[in-house]
Amino acid sequence: MSKAIFGNHSSIIVPRKDRDSIRKFYCDVLGATITKAEDERDFLRLGDDYYIGFLYGDVTDESEFLRTARSIWLEIKSDNVEEMTKKILDFGVRQLDIPDPHLYFQAPGGQVLRLVGINEDMSFYEGKGAGPNVTNVKESLRKEAMKK
């Protein structure tokens, strides 16, 4: 039987106006490297082997949907979560209210990210062990929806 796995490349179409803040956040805060810059897109490498393509266009900013738990998020790992959390929040990103011990935030361009430790035990997220109370998660989502 065939199987599928996630690769090490992603891409997102973002408003052209966000280009400078995307470059500053991903490069200056997260330590990414621009591997190629063109008029309409940037290719960035995060870590040793993860690549994100940012395609710039005249698109609407659908950030409100991305701020909900219904949006898919990318996980980033740090060897110093406390220091990285400070750098991320000092940059001025929007922190999301997700009832989970990790930092969830919306990066420039709209992508939602979750910060975890490189050596952190993430077995709960693999279906092992106890985790957050589902009732609390649903209540948090209800409150977030009422803010709109």
Side-chain angles (χ1 to χ4, degrees), residues 8-24:
N8 60 337
H9 301 86
S10 65
S11 180
I12 184 169
I13 299 174
V14 296
R16 188 179 321 280
K17 67 178 178 56
D18 293 340
R19 187 174 205 166
D20 288 340
S21 63
I22 287 169
R23 285 177 167 183
K24 285 178 184 164

Side-chain angles (χ1 to χ4, degrees), residues 23-40:
R23 285 177 167 183
K24 285 178 184 164
F25 179 75
Y26 282 89
C27 294
D28 297 349
V29 176
L30 299 183
T33 303
I34 297 174
T35 60
K36 187 174 186 179
E38 299 176 340
D39 289 342
E40 298 297 315

